[in-house]
Amino acid sequence: MFRTALRNVLAHKARLLMTVLAVMLGVAFVSGTLVFTDTLSQAFRNQSAKSYDDVAVAVNMYPSQEEAAKTPGLSQAVLDKVAKLDGVASVTGRVDGFAGVPDKNGKLIGVGWSNKGTNFAPGADGKDRAFDFTTGAGPLQDGQIALDRETATKGGYKVGDTVRVATNGPVKEYTLSGIFDTEDGAVQAGGSLVVFDNSVAQKQYVKEGFYRDAIVVAKPGTDADKLLDEVLKVVPKAATAQTGQALADQQAKDIEAGLGALKQVLLGFAGIALFVGVFLIANTFTMLVAQRTRELALMRAVGASRKQITRSVLAEAGLVGLVASAVGYGLGIGLAVVLRAGMNAFDLKVPGGPLVLGTTPLIAALSVGVLITMFAAWLPGRRAAKIPPVAAMSSVHAAATTKSLVVRNSIGAAITALGAVLIVLGAGKGGDDGRMFIAGGAFTTLIGVIVLIPLLSRPVIALIRPLFVGLFGVSGKLAGLNAVRNPRRTGATASALAIGLTLVTGLTVLGTTVGAALDKMTTDQIRADYMISMASGEGMNEAALAAIEKTPGATAVSPQLAGWFTLKGKDVSASGVTPGDIEKLIKLSTVKGSLSSLGQGGIAVAEKTATKQGWKVGDTLPVEFGDKKKGKVTVGAIFEDSEFVSPVVIDAKTITAHEQQSYIPQIFVSMDGGASDANEKALAQAMGDNPAITVMDKKDIRDLFGGQINLLLNIMYGLLAMALIIAILGVVNTLAMSVFERQQEIGMLRAIGLDRRRVKRMVRLEAVVISLFGAVVGIGLGSFLGWAIGETFKSSLPGYALVLPWDRIGIFLVLAGLVGVLASLWPARSAAKLNMLTAIKTE
């Protein structure tokens, strides 16, 4: 039986090639994902270990606001005490924070959040172990800086050049003293590293004479754990310390956790591709069994048992799966290399290192490929075993029976109904719990529709058929009839397309709806001409706010200052704004009271928060501010919830009076004459042409939100494209089977006048009908899921309303039709080339 299985594999190479491709693609995604994430993980672990190779103990101190008033960090005196401990070779203090450098066109180099500044801390030999200078030397004066080599190359800077550096304060100019190589994570992430003179960096990020971190290097033979205990005795209680090994291990765990999410997403799409591939594999083996009806019946007649027949088909599937897995694993290695190169192309640098080819990806590839193939071939194998020996006496191409589908349809309807109920319940429940219901309901509904899809094929295709008859005449009529001739096979083929389009449509409906809601929210709620923020995501200071307020033409300016106070032992976040200006910049629709109360020391509260807390206009609340000073605030207004301010709004001056340093994420501005190039330039000049500060008009704000959604959708489309490619192979398989079964019929049609052109058209239209059927089912189910998921968070997104993207749905239908045309090229050509006399004589 094994020899028979091997002979059958070799005898049907063309048909099995499509199955190999389907399994290969899924396996490539699985193995490629595992190799890629293993390689990234090992590279980052090696980098982390290298960064802490000489570190015995690492100390850091990020005190609370109250503690910072007394001790803002690790003082030089503390570092001197640590340096005197037994076993300590050296101690290096570090400070860091945001620092950005523009290129020659004034554009920020790097991606904002990964642009970093730090201090130059030379030892007795005048060198700093963190930086390997390739040109020049470290900065030793107030007006000097050093840059990493990548940033210097991108900016076109050479030693001696003047470089503008942006921080949270005004832009300043420095002389470039040196260029260096480094293993710093910010640079490896595609950012930049600016190195200042030690005292300059201290003033910039902490306070002169203080550090945030300290690196302790031990003498040879010193026990790191014992040294850690000694260090903890001399550093402030607010400081924390770890051994270098513990810190490297922790970073390795953090890296694993960070890459785990990426791995799960990629493996999820690989699972979708394999799930779609199951239908193609099942169809392929159904086709092969049908072609070998007489052969299998003769084997039964000469003594082969049902189990032997089933094993023969499964052995055949196992061989196919083994070949596909081996090829898929090799392709997966190539995919991992491409993914790694792609990250570097997007400035998401990956540390150097070899490709990690562990045993897990190989075992996973072989296991997944073989098991999926054998699982999909099991049902056709059982059907083959049931072929009676008497079938050897009749035609190979026995007419398809019209066995009742009542049981199958009943089960499918019940499963679909259960899934739909779960989806509706989840939509009504909302939140994370609701989304869990929807996830379960989506899977259940998808299974139910797959079971039910043969029944659905007849009425849905019946709706499409008149269009084809009207446009293409006899060829269209025959295509419609052929598409429903074998509902099970048509349903299995359409299911592959339906799964892919369900996911694509669901994501599109959800993304379009959320994008429209965000666009409406921006249009409705922002009255300001501009929103100003830091590219790093950090806050601006009061100097930036003062500069904008003095800008010629500014008619209204208000910060959205992040503040807080304590009420009844609980922290309450608040937005500090400018009374009188804020209502001109952001739409705050008052329900009760007046926003003018903000200028009199009152607060305005969002409607939902007021209802939850039981606050009313006129209520006086005892509060405690960040500096521990107590006071009272009066609720002066209740407003409709807004996404652009906190639930509590207060005069910015009240917050700054109790904060040592203000944190301003955004500043809203209205200008005389509205948004214009001249006004945008005036604001940029007021900020000292700081490349780290972005000035966004309403369109930019809409693009900020909508662009992220579109980027995510495009990534999803790319990942789901593999599932659609497998679906195309499924359509090719089905048409090839259809042509094979109808050789005699095609010969008769040719004999009575149907020319080759019409035969090709008939086969192509059959493919289009099947593809459109799958598309209609997928688009309908995807729209339903998109609506349900949207319902779970519409309460947190003002202006949310379902939007069906008819333009994209139309594109999906056109693409589905195109899929059918492309998939039909080979089968249609084969059908047209059939010799009519030979075909008529075919049994």
Side-chain angles (χ1 to χ4, degrees), residues 21-37:
L21 286 173
V23 178
M24 180 185 72
L25 288 172
V27 168
F29 219 144
V30 171
S31 57
T33 295
L34 294 175
V35 170
F36 174 62
T37 52

Side-chain angles (χ1 to χ4, degrees), residues 258-278:
L259 292 175
L262 174 63
K263 182 189 291 188
Q264 289 175 4
V265 170
L266 293 176
L267 288 177
F269 284 99
I272 292 168
L274 289 169
F275 184 54
V276 172
V278 167

Side-chain angles (χ1 to χ4, degrees), residues 755-775:
D755 58 22
R756 290 186 174 182
R757 182 173 58 86
R758 289 182 180 178
V759 170
K760 285 184 179 180
R761 183 185 296 169
M762 176 185 70
V763 176
R764 287 172 184 162
L765 291 177
E766 183 180 345
V768 172
V769 167
I770 293 172
S771 298
L772 288 177
F773 167 51

Side-chain angles (χ1 to χ4, degrees), residues 57 85 223-234 241 243:
V57 177
L85 295 173
D223 184 272
D225 291 322
K226 290 182 179 178
L227 183 57
L228 173 63
D229 293 336
E230 294 301 315
V231 169
L232 287 172
K233 293 177 182 178
V234 297
T243 62

Side-chain angles (χ1 to χ4, degrees), residues 1-5 7-8 292-313 316 384-385 387-392:
M1 298 306 293
F2 180 78
R3 286 198 300 271
T4 301
R7 177 183 62 79
N8 288 328
R292 289 158 43 206
T293 302
R294 177 176 288 178
E295 175 191 326
L296 295 172
L298 282 172
M299 291 175 64
R300 289 292 314 282
V302 297
S305 67
R306 288 189 174 186
K307 287 185 178 179
Q308 285 179 311
I309 297 295
T310 303
R311 288 171 187 164
S312 173
V313 176
E316 191 175 338
I387 297 174
V390 73

Side-chain angles (χ1 to χ4, degrees), residues 310-334:
T310 303
R311 288 171 187 164
S312 173
V313 176
L314 290 177
E316 191 175 338
L319 288 171
V320 172
L322 190 62
V323 172
S325 298
V327 177
Y329 177 69
L331 191 62
I333 294 173

Side-chain angles (χ1 to χ4, degrees), residues 52-117:
Y52 296 103
D53 196 28
D54 297 330
V55 177
V57 177
V59 186
N60 62 72
M61 184 174 174
Y62 292 86
S64 64
Q65 185 175 346
E66 184 180 4
E67 293 168 335
K70 301 175 182 176
T71 308
L74 299 166
S75 66
Q76 185 62 51
V78 170
L79 266 60
D80 291 341
K81 289 180 181 179
V82 173
K84 293 177 182 178
L85 295 173
D86 290 339
V88 174
S90 65
V91 180
T92 304
R94 292 284 179 212
V95 291
D96 59 57
F98 172 76
V101 174
D103 57 21
K104 296 297 184 181
N105 297 320
K107 185 178 179 182
L108 186 69
I109 298 173
V111 289
W113 55 268
S114 61
N115 292 330
K116 179 179 162 186

